[in-house]
Amino acid sequence: MLTYLLRRLLLMIPTLLGITILVFTVMAMSPGGISAQTLIGGTDMKPQEKQALLNYYNKRYGLDKPAPVQYLRWLNNVSPIGFTIDEQGNRGEFSFSKGMDLGTSFQYGRPVSDILAERIPITLLLNLVTIPFTYLIAIFVGMKSAANRGGSFDVGMGMSMLALWSIPTMLAGVLLLGFFGNVQHFQWFPTAGISSREAQDMPFLPHWEQTGFVRGFLLDRVWHLILPVICLSYGSFAALAKLTRTSILENLNSDYARTARAKGLAEHDVLWRHVFRNSLLPLITISAGLLPSLLAGSLIVENIFSINGMGQLAVEAVKGRDRELVLSITWVSGFLTLIGYLIADFCYTLADPRVSYD
Amino acid sequence: QIDRQWLKLTEMETAMSEQSKDMRELRVAVASGAVSNKPTTNSTEANGDVAQAFKRALAASRLPDYAQGDWSVDSFSTNIKTITPLVSSDLYASNVQSNVLESLITRNPDTLEWEGLIAKSWKISDDGLVISFQMRDDVSFSDGQPLTAEDVVFSFDFIMTEAIQAPRERAYLEKIKAVKANGKYEVVFTFKEPYFEALSLAGGMSILPKHFYASYVKEPQKFNQSKGLLLGSGPYKLTDPKNWTPDKGNIELVRNERYWGDVPPSFNRILWKVIQNDSARLTTYRNGDIDSYSARPVEYQELKKDEQLIAKSQNFEYMPPTVGYSYIGWNQERAGKPTRFADKRVRQAMTYLTDVSRIIKDVQLNYAEPAVSPFSNTSKQHNGSLQPYPFNLAKAKALLTEVGYEDRNGDGVLEDKSGKPFEFKLTYFQANEDTKRMVLLLKDLYARAGVRMIPFPQEWPVMLENLGKKDFDAITLAWTSGIETDLYQIFHSSQAISNGDNYISYKNPELDKLIEQARRTVDESKRMPLWQSAERILYEDQPYTFMMRRKSLLFVDKRIHNLQMTKLGLNLGSLPLENYVPVAQQKYTQ
Amino acid sequence: MSQPLLEVRNLHTYLQSGGREVRAVDGISFSIPKSETFCLVGESGSGKSISALSVIRLLPQDIATHPSGEILFNGQDLLKLDDPAIRSVRGSQIAMIFQEPMTSLNPVLSIGEQITEALQLHHPGMSDSEAEQRTILALEQVQMPHAARRFRDYPHQLSGGQRQRVMIAMALACEPQLLIADEPTTALDVTVQAEILRLMRKLQDDTGMSIFFITHDFGVVSQMAQWVGVMQQGKLVEVGACIDVLRKPQHSYTRQLLAALPENLSKPVLATTQNLDELSTAEQTPLVKIRDLKVWFPIKKGLFRHTVDYVRAVDEVSLDIPQGQIVALVGESGCGKTTLGRALLQLEKPTSGSVQIDGQELTGLSAHELRPLRRKMQIAFQDPQSSLNPRLLIETTLTEPMKVHGIGGNDEERIELAALLLESVQLKRDFLWRYPHEFSGGQRQRIGLARALALNPEFIVCDEITSALDVSVQAEILQLLLSIRQQRNLTLLFITHNIGVVEYLSDQTVVMYKGKIVERGKTAQVCKTPQHPYTQKLLAAVPRLIM
Amino acid sequence: MTETTVSRESFSAHIWRKTLDGVGVKVGLAWIALLVFAAVFAPFLANSMPLLISKDGIISAPVLRYLSVEDAWVLATFFIALAVYRLRLGSGKRILLFLLGSAVAALLVNMFLKPPVLVIYDDFRTITYTDVDWRIMPPIPYAPTDYLRDLGSKGLEAPFKTEGHTHLMGTEENGADVLSRMIHACRISLSIGLIASGIALFIGVIVGGLMGYFSGIVDMLGMRLVEIFEDIPTLFLLLTFVAFFGRSLYMMMVIIGITGWSGYARYVRQEFLKLRKQDYVQAAVASGLPLSSILFRHMLPNGVAPLLVAVSFGVAGAILSEATLSFLGLGVVDAPSWGQMLDQAVKSSTFNWWMAAFPGGAIFMTVFSYNLIGEAFRDAIDPQLSRKAGVN
Ligand SMILES: Nc1ncnc2c1ncn2[C@@H]1O[C@H](COP(=O)(O)OP(=O)(O)OP(=O)(O)O)[C@@H](O)[C@H]1O
Ligand SMILES: Nc1ncnc2c1ncn2[C@@H]1O[C@H](COP(=O)(O)OP(=O)(O)OP(=O)(O)O)[C@@H](O)[C@H]1O
Ligand SMILES: [Mg+2]
Ligand SMILES: [Mg+2]
């Protein structure tokens, strides 16, 4: 098992390298490189000042060097092992102990690692709420449709799921906001952010006070997350539900199900004790594949509901030509996905005795 | 969760320590018998000796329904990267800072004259090279430390420290030779050369507490990368002056209980929410969760018909004197070679084609006024006799033919003598809808004269780089302007170098002379005529096609009272604070 | 005989599929006495499984209907029982085991769990520990090696035979009175089959249950059954005591079936005699020469997937296949027959060793160099379903290779040739213009043969081409093979595990075991006087019908 | 033995028939057909200039005169497609012929068509075009980029709310007729969907096919490539590429294409890995057929069905991507596109229902149609569901 894990981790390295190379080349080829970025906000600087700033950056990031050199330099900074580099930018000796340095974001003027440390948890939170939610709904629907296959529920649900899938996210988001966050219609949910100002100084759990019910930090969070999560999830119902349905039907017709019936098990038990677990196996593998799309999907949702997650960051970074940031975002999200796959496979081994990695 | 608790702890700690510090000081004072029971300033019996700056605030506080309390809640449309002074570059941050930091002097909203805030008075030497400020002795920072001349000196030195990432301010203050403290409460600014804006330069500099920021001179990186290092003498303060971070989303200032000012500010807290999505922002405003909403013209028209909104808000259309003007800049030199716009007549022709009044009517829905020059029509720099160029197709065509443009191959587009068609890219910043509309309109207008314009939207960084490289045909942008606008940076030929702000490479020696002269003359009565003659040259040359100044269109929640128009625009949130919420309407306790 | 345990009277079972109604079972009647065995034989699709499923009422309600008939079990009519009632009968009184041991067990539950489940279902009071005891007992009963340890194993950790044992253990756990076995041994090797059959007989003696046994193998019938029913297209054409039916079958269909058995097939006269004297000469000039051929599949493990061991599918095999002979390759499943065959044609890269055809070395040739040699040797496959490209007309399938190898001047000629081919495999020539899914299994195998013949090769590998077919069809194919062989003087490597076929068809027999050749020689002598213990075991295991 | 029902139709025809029975698909196809029609004949359906006018005796057709190169090409290819479809030929030949034809058309059009560069739509409402003997206007007398300046359109007028000129679907921010823009936008949406996923498919099949056929090292490398492209959220990639490589429509198609192929590659690979084991492929190898034939004749056609499902979903996805890009302010500039219009609706704080409803609805319907088709198709080829139910 351990060797398997190691192997998987080793395999990640070329992938991650590839990702960074890809993105780096794209950025290197693009107009409005870093140099432009450095000038943002510098609009009311003296030319000399701007020039100075440029030189500063050039020295710091070796922007005057050819792209491959820049890349290697960046890579060296990022990788946990490599050459130490001093302020003047000339190379020290090789070390295994030098930490990872994701560099500094130009437009935020802060270490990229800090920024990611702020943003990733938020996006992860969104996704970790969304995925289970999606699965619950999808599995439920999938099972019911399988149960009365060809029935009205099956057909109807199949259709409406497809329909949901086809709604553009931004439209859905804005409509939801317009109707359920608006005093003119139903002001049930907040319009922005993932927690309200008051929640900052609320206790964690909901409880009663003499003033009345206090929703507490937790409920406040949930309350804020509802609309975004709906927006994120409705799109992926269709595929999952469909998958559940087919695999359940498949397993219901399988030989072992028949064996179970031959034992005298009631249909209900056959479904729950035998078929169900087998049917969910394919869903496990899918779950990881959901992650990247969610990461990106949150991009729109985050914008609409003013949530500062990776999605937002990505847009800002890309528009701001913030090289360090874009690079890190892409490879980090790539890394997350790979980890996701790994975890999924791991769960698979737990769920299915047949596969065992050594 | 954990860290939230922890944060609250630290906040409490700081509070405690401060209190204890106060106690100590008090004891010391008592011991030395120096404690005069000078009443803590509050509006009631501060009538006589209220500083000029606080007169309006005082007046407000005299109003029958005046009340302290409640919050002012506002919104930002992008998330703030940092609110540390000097490091921060965007408007929002400076907006926040203005509530926390104070400067020696401030402009009077009615007279637009300078008057003392921290400074009691000041003297300017006859040659205009030395300005010395007499400072108040009762001013203290929000942590209780007194504010002295030392702090002012420090602020200057701090900005001038190379390692500190404050190039903008440094560039701005470079005219100052030295700042010296003369005794505890007098500070002297010395200038390298006479400069017409010397006073505002010196007096406008916001004062940073030495005891708070001094430590960062040693570790500048820490300062440059900091997100929330903000402490000052202003009416509001951060609960924790060191640890604000962007991921908190909101920015929240609390009343500075130790505020030295003659009139304590009305709001208990000032809160800024970050709401990127426009419709979300509007909805939030509708729901009453933010106090003001500024609208685009089309939107404004719509909303004025919306009774739910009108019922809860007061709306304002006004033209702040400092509002910028929007223009089309014609690039005159590209890759060392003069472009077709190098010819004055072509520029004039384009101006004739640019139907500003039409734009104002169709795009701005008349919420804007045409701009004749960089100088606002109300400013003294402006010569009222100049009228904006009218739309005049015939004249434009005449000019163009005069230069030698005509449709040679019958495809409807003009060609010059070498047969090169008259078509150019108009670069503009993509994010703004109104600009886009305007550009589309212009496209049609120019088409009438057989000129082909290709809209060329760009993102900010790309645009900046192209500006720096002077790599564009024509560009539409806007410059902000001050009460009095300096032409040097934008139109002086010396700025036509790469990365200079005269990126259209406009060179006119005559104008250069005038500008230099004007900047050197400190005496206003002599200076203004110089500006006006400079303006005439610009008007003639049309390096830019000056288009318009846009009005601010604003909805403010009815809660907020005592909103007035001043020469500086609407007094919403202007300091010292004049707005307040009557007890009846107060919304936020705590 | 006393009051029968199960009595089926005029049972009809109709199935709705895609709008039309299939009369899977129409009007069968038979009865099974206590502690005796009733065998249902018949070709595939004749309705055996359906009748079995009808008895235990396992057919899905929505598609299966029983217009008339009754199934009396201990006097009560199962068809009339409601769901709970029939469920209480299932498993406890009537148990069933199925054909596919691979898929019939739930892969994600340990075998222990699956058996105890059955137990506790019918003995609600039973405690877990007791259930476990009983389970282990049951496993021992079916002679599961160290049953106690197997308890927590998962199905995939067991061999096919063991799985079938588990199935039986599960079925017998609640001591049913009737065991329905739907071809329980078809998917197993003969040796394993023999064990299972022996086991079932033993269990029957111990527990005194009755068995409703379904098979299509008369050999098995003659070993198991007291009573036999022969089924054809949903009807029971003949029922009676095993001996009578097998000795003097009444119904023509039964005779036809019996006649179709390889051991009863009449060999074409001319074939053998000339072969026998040919042999001696042929020995000197082998067409295909295999010298210690190895096909090892690496088993990769560890961080860098380095090879820790090999599956020795084919291990140092040396073999000569004389011109114009049919060499049968027999052996249990997984012993490497197919791999050897594929290795001969270089469809599998041999690990080492040499393969020569007409003295031309094949190993180590590039695909390009191989191409001209390809037409000398062809292969025909086992599975009629997947052996033809579903997207191509038969015409394309047949002519494309010809075109590549430049057989026939133009398309018309090739089409003509293809038509002739079809006729030579006794199919109509207009079948050229059909798609594979329009043929029955037997027809497809013929087409498969035709394709193999298209390049008129000298040597063909036939990988179990008859195993998936019914006896009658099998018989036809076998005879066809012989005749073609006559016409074209073909050389065949005939892979099979059916000794009957071997005896009928082949001149020489090669026995393979665990990747090695353990015995080879003239078919007659190998079958009469096997030398190697494995061969002896194999032959002993073959169920023959005692006349 | 089970006698298979002899049906005299090819496998693909069979699948196609099974796909077609079902209401959803028919609706979907109908809608797509409608779009195609609109896309091809857009300039004649919605335009400010008369189709035909007769001015003092002389009959002229301004539309034709102003017909842009693109319009002409689209028309040409459409008719070529029709013609080719009529021909009785192998599908391969057909496709080849079609591509050839359209290429030639493109060439000719570019060489001979010289429409005026500047179009001033206002002029078409001046007397030169109005006081004529007779004239035939298009059904919607407004061009998509005609901002009706002379009619003083303020923009954002609800349907039928405008005085003087009627707009069935109202006007958008700049005052252009929404319906007209919708019609012209069909072209963008369709082409984005098809071309983008066409490119993706092409790359995917090549890479996946190679991976699947020679597994081993090729597979290893290929998989890394695939992973690279699918581990970065596609939208991030898209964002990066578009932001950096300009905003032209064609660029966008290409980019959506080259960022979206990884899924297909996986599909093809899996299919090929399966197919390689198939006996008929082995037989093909055994009879020494050339690699190309094995890959593209024996393997691809059998592996293509699930791929097509993926494609039809992919097309839907591409259309949504376009909308998303517009939403992120990276859409096309002046050319009308649904995404961009929807974006206007979403961005504007005052909710203009017609701006959201019509473009949003169109996107929804199109995506939905493609999804429906894909779904039906999947059901048709899914062996599990098409197999007879119940007992084995
Ligand atoms: N679910 C079903 N729907 C429709 N027809 C079916 C179904 N299952 C089986 N049949 C038909 O019923 C007939 C009998 O099927 P059955 O499985 O009993 O044959 P069998 O004798 O068991 O064959 P085998 O020896 O291959 O098991 C066949 O013609 C088959 O096509
Ligand atoms: N591609 C492969 N990779 C690894 N092992 C393989 C491969 N192909 C076959 N084997 C193993 O080689 C052995 C021989 O397989 P082969 O198919 O030749 O047996 P067989 O005699 O044909 O069995 P059957 O009679 O069931 O067809 C088996 O243990 C099988 O697991
Ligand atoms: Mg059967
Ligand atoms: Mg085999």
Side-chain angles (χ1 to χ4, degrees), chain C residues 183-254:
Chain C
E183 318 210 13
T185 59
T186 313
L188 304 176
D189 283 322
V190 270
T191 47
V192 186
Q193 173 179 29
E195 292 167 14
I196 296 287
L197 293 180
R198 200 177 312 118
L199 172 67
M200 289 181 76
R201 284 201 297 274
K202 177 174 174 303
L203 290 171
Q204 185 172 30
D205 302 341
D206 301 351
T207 62
M209 65 181 172
S210 316
I211 300 181
F212 177 9
F213 197 102
I214 294 179
T215 177
H216 55 252
D217 183 341
F218 276 95
V220 177
V221 173
S222 64
Q223 292 195 358
M224 293 295 294
Q226 286 88 353
W227 305 92
V228 176
V230 183
M231 202 162 182
Q232 181 192 22
Q233 296 181 6
K235 295 202 169 47
L236 265 183
V237 292
E238 185 163 2
V239 190
C242 183
I243 319 297
D244 317 341
V245 175
L246 294 185
R247 287 268 169 74
K248 35 183 159 5
Q250 304 304 322
H251 194 278
S252 57
Y253 179 70
T254 319

Side-chain angles (χ1 to χ4, degrees), chain B residues 143-182:
Chain B
D143 60 358
Q145 297 279 354
L147 185 158
T148 67
E150 274 313 306
D151 296 298
V152 183
V153 175
F154 167 78
S155 311
F156 178 74
D157 298 343
F158 192 62
I159 293 173
M160 284 303 160
T161 320
E162 271 304 324
I164 298 300
Q165 189 181 333
R168 253 164 276 103
E169 287 72 6
R170 229 174 290 145
Y172 189 54
L173 294 183
E174 70 172 355
K175 284 203 160 24
I176 302 177
K177 192 191 299 154
V179 179
K180 295 253 176 312
N182 181 2

Side-chain angles (χ1 to χ4, degrees), chain C residues 189 295-299 311-314 331-342 348 382 463-464 495-497 512 515, chain D residues 277:
Chain C
D189 283 322
V295 183
W296 290 5
F297 298 105
I299 302 169
V311 176
R312 290 168 166 72
V314 173
E332 70 186 7
S333 160
C335 71
K337 305 189 293 296
T338 301
T339 311
L340 177 55
R342 288 164 45 76
E348 199 74 68
Q382 166 172 10
D463 188 351
E464 318 211 1
I495 298 175
T496 180
H497 53 246
M512 212 172 159
Chain D
K277 299 264 174 295

Side-chain angles (χ1 to χ4, degrees), chain A residues 32 35-36 41 44 50-51 108 181 183-184 191 197 199-202 204 306 308 316 319 321, chain B residues 1 4 8 79 81 168 225 227 252 269 276-277 283-284 286-287 308 459 461-462 465 495 499 501:
Chain A
S35 50
D44 47 3
K50 289 183 188 170
Q51 208 49 54
Y108 293 83
V183 65
Q184 286 167 308
T191 49
R197 158 70 188 70
Q200 298 292 337
D201 31 61
M202 279 183 195
F204 186 64
S306 325
N308 296 331
E316 287 167 13
K319 284 194 173 169
R321 299 293 189 281
Chain B
Q1 176 53 6
R4 269 178 52 260
K8 294 184 67 61
N79 28 24
K81 288 146 192 166
R168 253 164 276 103
Q225 299 189 352
K227 301 153 236 169
E252 180 175 350
R269 292 174 187 246
Q276 282 107 335
N277 183 279
T283 319
T284 320
R286 285 183 186 284
N287 303 350
Q308 187 269 344
E459 285 122 31
V462 189
E465 186 176 40
Q495 300 298 306
N499 287 322
D501 279 334

Side-chain angles (χ1 to χ4, degrees), chain D residues 286-307:
Chain D
S287 44
L289 300 187
L291 181 60
S292 60
S293 161
I294 295 175
L295 279 182
F296 296 110
R297 190 160 193 173
H298 292 264
M299 290 173 88
L300 193 53
N302 292 291
V304 82
L307 201 61

